[in-house]
Amino acid sequence: MDLVGMAARLGVPVEDVERVHRLAGDLPSAPLPAKADAPAILARLAVRPDDAAEIMAGWPDPGSPAWTPDLRWLLDRSTALVRADLGGPGWLVPGPELPRDRGTAWRHLYVYAYLALVEVVLEYHRDHGIAEAVSYATLADLGRNLAVDRRMRGEGWPVMRSWLTLHARGGVYELGRLQYQRGDTTLGLHIPEAGPLTPQAVEASLDQARAFFPRHFPDEHHTTFSCGSWLLDPQLLHYLPEDANIVRFQQRFELEPYEQPEGIDADVEVLRFVFRTLTTPLDRLPRRTALQRAAVDHLKAGRHWQWRRGHFPI
């Protein structure tokens, strides 16, 4: 197989193609759902009509000239790569970051891989006795992330394509207001864009998790809730009122000593999550909320946000 030529045609580093080839090997992939069934599946995954129409228009039909042999190989092998780690709790890069301006096949290749894995992960959920309502609430993060990426004009997807492999492998579950990532002894908390982070909603979600994981994963023994986020940066206390939801959320955690995280720029993450943009100048960002004003004023003053980790007992 000419991996060097393939990488050149795909416009990606050859080592990224070699990684997919090495990890996926000849492992089994998973087929896409029937095209006729896809609109209903996309609706259940909360994919907005504009995103769904684009996905359907670029469907990998047999003989479609948009789907070159290289793209078809990458779709098949990246799906196999993710499927091979079914049940895995860690972040996983499914394949190289493609030049998305070349068309729908390039822009949504990993969406099609996700769709191919839906039935695989649903079977995994059923094997663990997980209710369908929880399964689809979790998997519907696809629609939420596609909508965010559209708002960000494509700036969000490089992170999202890896994040969504957790859902497609049974590594993360959405239970009420929060999402929970399985770990060895910890349950990692993630905060989706899904309304106010009220103490009542957080506590109700935590109670669901306390019951859910011992019931469905009895061989795993989680003792701690953990979180890594700019939301835990104590500098926020200088800007937000004491009764703010973010402040109340912070108060649950015992912070770990600060260490600069590898590969994470907290300033970038604040812009990503607070404003859903990475390129808008600070002077043009909205200042409607206390959090927005805090994010901008802190950066304009030449200071930096921190990505902090914290935990508390289950």
PDB file of all heavy atoms in Angstrom, residues 109-120:
ATOM      1  N   LEU A 109     -16.204  13.207   7.153  1.00  0.00           N
ATOM      2  CA  LEU A 109     -15.783  11.807   7.124  1.00  0.00           C
ATOM      3  C   LEU A 109     -15.934  11.153   8.498  1.00  0.00           C
ATOM      4  O   LEU A 109     -16.429  10.021   8.608  1.00  0.00           O
ATOM      5  CB  LEU A 109     -14.340  11.694   6.638  1.00  0.00           C
ATOM      6  CG  LEU A 109     -13.841  10.251   6.467  1.00  0.00           C
ATOM      7  CD1 LEU A 109     -13.010  10.107   5.195  1.00  0.00           C
ATOM      8  CD2 LEU A 109     -13.010   9.789   7.674  1.00  0.00           C
ATOM      9  N   TYR A 110     -15.566  11.859   9.555  1.00  0.00           N
ATOM     10  CA  TYR A 110     -15.640  11.242  10.882  1.00  0.00           C
ATOM     11  C   TYR A 110     -17.065  11.233  11.424  1.00  0.00           C
ATOM     12  O   TYR A 110     -17.362  10.463  12.341  1.00  0.00           O
ATOM     13  CB  TYR A 110     -14.659  11.925  11.834  1.00  0.00           C
ATOM     14  CG  TYR A 110     -13.231  11.753  11.366  1.00  0.00           C
ATOM     15  CD1 TYR A 110     -12.496  12.836  10.887  1.00  0.00           C
ATOM     16  CD2 TYR A 110     -12.640  10.493  11.343  1.00  0.00           C
ATOM     17  CE1 TYR A 110     -11.202  12.663  10.429  1.00  0.00           C
ATOM     18  CE2 TYR A 110     -11.349  10.307  10.880  1.00  0.00           C
ATOM     19  CZ  TYR A 110     -10.629  11.398  10.419  1.00  0.00           C
ATOM     20  OH  TYR A 110      -9.342  11.217   9.954  1.00  0.00           O
ATOM     21  N   VAL A 111     -17.940  12.041  10.868  1.00  0.00           N
ATOM     22  CA  VAL A 111     -19.365  11.930  11.190  1.00  0.00           C
ATOM     23  C   VAL A 111     -19.901  10.616  10.632  1.00  0.00           C
ATOM     24  O   VAL A 111     -20.655   9.889  11.302  1.00  0.00           O
ATOM     25  CB  VAL A 111     -20.158  13.120  10.631  1.00  0.00           C
ATOM     26  CG1 VAL A 111     -21.664  12.920  10.853  1.00  0.00           C
ATOM     27  CG2 VAL A 111     -19.694  14.428  11.270  1.00  0.00           C
ATOM     28  N   TYR A 112     -19.514  10.279   9.410  1.00  0.00           N
ATOM     29  CA  TYR A 112     -19.954   9.013   8.829  1.00  0.00           C
ATOM     30  C   TYR A 112     -19.385   7.834   9.629  1.00  0.00           C
ATOM     31  O   TYR A 112     -20.078   6.819   9.820  1.00  0.00           O
ATOM     32  CB  TYR A 112     -19.531   8.924   7.357  1.00  0.00           C
ATOM     33  CG  TYR A 112     -20.165   9.984   6.490  1.00  0.00           C
ATOM     34  CD1 TYR A 112     -19.390  10.976   5.875  1.00  0.00           C
ATOM     35  CD2 TYR A 112     -21.546  10.025   6.295  1.00  0.00           C
ATOM     36  CE1 TYR A 112     -19.966  11.959   5.097  1.00  0.00           C
ATOM     37  CE2 TYR A 112     -22.122  11.013   5.509  1.00  0.00           C
ATOM     38  CZ  TYR A 112     -21.335  11.983   4.919  1.00  0.00           C
ATOM     39  OH  TYR A 112     -21.917  12.971   4.148  1.00  0.00           O
ATOM     40  N   ALA A 113     -18.164   7.945  10.111  1.00  0.00           N
ATOM     41  CA  ALA A 113     -17.609   6.895  10.970  1.00  0.00           C
ATOM     42  C   ALA A 113     -18.438   6.764  12.247  1.00  0.00           C
ATOM     43  O   ALA A 113     -18.723   5.644  12.708  1.00  0.00           O
ATOM     44  CB  ALA A 113     -16.150   7.208  11.298  1.00  0.00           C
ATOM     45  N   TYR A 114     -18.830   7.881  12.826  1.00  0.00           N
ATOM     46  CA  TYR A 114     -19.672   7.871  14.032  1.00  0.00           C
ATOM     47  C   TYR A 114     -20.995   7.171  13.746  1.00  0.00           C
ATOM     48  O   TYR A 114     -21.444   6.318  14.526  1.00  0.00           O
ATOM     49  CB  TYR A 114     -19.901   9.313  14.474  1.00  0.00           C
ATOM     50  CG  TYR A 114     -20.578   9.500  15.816  1.00  0.00           C
ATOM     51  CD1 TYR A 114     -19.827   9.745  16.960  1.00  0.00           C
ATOM     52  CD2 TYR A 114     -21.960   9.483  15.949  1.00  0.00           C
ATOM     53  CE1 TYR A 114     -20.427   9.961  18.194  1.00  0.00           C
ATOM     54  CE2 TYR A 114     -22.581   9.690  17.171  1.00  0.00           C
ATOM     55  CZ  TYR A 114     -21.803   9.931  18.295  1.00  0.00           C
ATOM     56  OH  TYR A 114     -22.421  10.141  19.515  1.00  0.00           O
ATOM     57  N   LEU A 115     -21.617   7.508  12.613  1.00  0.00           N
ATOM     58  CA  LEU A 115     -22.893   6.896  12.261  1.00  0.00           C
ATOM     59  C   LEU A 115     -22.736   5.390  12.060  1.00  0.00           C
ATOM     60  O   LEU A 115     -23.626   4.609  12.429  1.00  0.00           O
ATOM     61  CB  LEU A 115     -23.452   7.542  10.999  1.00  0.00           C
ATOM     62  CG  LEU A 115     -23.858   9.015  11.118  1.00  0.00           C
ATOM     63  CD1 LEU A 115     -24.292   9.563   9.763  1.00  0.00           C
ATOM     64  CD2 LEU A 115     -24.974   9.195  12.146  1.00  0.00           C
ATOM     65  N   ALA A 116     -21.612   4.969  11.500  1.00  0.00           N
ATOM     66  CA  ALA A 116     -21.382   3.540  11.318  1.00  0.00           C
ATOM     67  C   ALA A 116     -21.251   2.818  12.653  1.00  0.00           C
ATOM     68  O   ALA A 116     -21.571   1.619  12.751  1.00  0.00           O
ATOM     69  CB  ALA A 116     -20.115   3.332  10.489  1.00  0.00           C
ATOM     70  N   LEU A 117     -20.837   3.529  13.691  1.00  0.00           N
ATOM     71  CA  LEU A 117     -20.608   2.912  14.996  1.00  0.00           C
ATOM     72  C   LEU A 117     -21.808   2.998  15.927  1.00  0.00           C
ATOM     73  O   LEU A 117     -21.773   2.434  17.031  1.00  0.00           O
ATOM     74  CB  LEU A 117     -19.393   3.565  15.656  1.00  0.00           C
ATOM     75  CG  LEU A 117     -18.053   3.238  14.984  1.00  0.00           C
ATOM     76  CD1 LEU A 117     -16.983   4.234  15.414  1.00  0.00           C
ATOM     77  CD2 LEU A 117     -17.625   1.820  15.316  1.00  0.00           C
ATOM     78  N   VAL A 118     -22.867   3.689  15.512  1.00  0.00           N
ATOM     79  CA  VAL A 118     -24.023   3.859  16.398  1.00  0.00           C
ATOM     80  C   VAL A 118     -24.593   2.513  16.825  1.00  0.00           C
ATOM     81  O   VAL A 118     -24.818   2.256  18.013  1.00  0.00           O
ATOM     82  CB  VAL A 118     -25.101   4.743  15.737  1.00  0.00           C
ATOM     83  CG1 VAL A 118     -26.437   4.608  16.467  1.00  0.00           C
ATOM     84  CG2 VAL A 118     -24.661   6.205  15.734  1.00  0.00           C
ATOM     85  N   GLU A 119     -24.856   1.624  15.893  1.00  0.00           N
ATOM     86  CA  GLU A 119     -25.445   0.344  16.260  1.00  0.00           C
ATOM     87  C   GLU A 119     -24.466  -0.496  17.077  1.00  0.00           C
ATOM     88  O   GLU A 119     -24.881  -1.243  17.971  1.00  0.00           O
ATOM     89  CB  GLU A 119     -25.880  -0.427  15.009  1.00  0.00           C
ATOM     90  CG  GLU A 119     -26.669  -1.695  15.323  1.00  0.00           C
ATOM     91  CD  GLU A 119     -27.861  -1.447  16.260  1.00  0.00           C
ATOM     92  OE1 GLU A 119     -28.576  -0.436  16.085  1.00  0.00           O
ATOM     93  OE2 GLU A 119     -28.053  -2.272  17.186  1.00  0.00           O
ATOM     94  N   VAL A 120     -23.166  -0.363  16.804  1.00  0.00           N
ATOM     95  CA  VAL A 120     -22.155  -1.082  17.580  1.00  0.00           C
ATOM     96  C   VAL A 120     -22.201  -0.660  19.040  1.00  0.00           C
ATOM     97  O   VAL A 120     -22.224  -1.494  19.957  1.00  0.00           O
ATOM     98  CB  VAL A 120     -20.752  -0.850  16.998  1.00  0.00           C
ATOM     99  CG1 VAL A 120     -19.676  -1.466  17.896  1.00  0.00           C
ATOM    100  CG2 VAL A 120     -20.649  -1.418  15.589  1.00  0.00           C
TER     101      VAL A 120
END
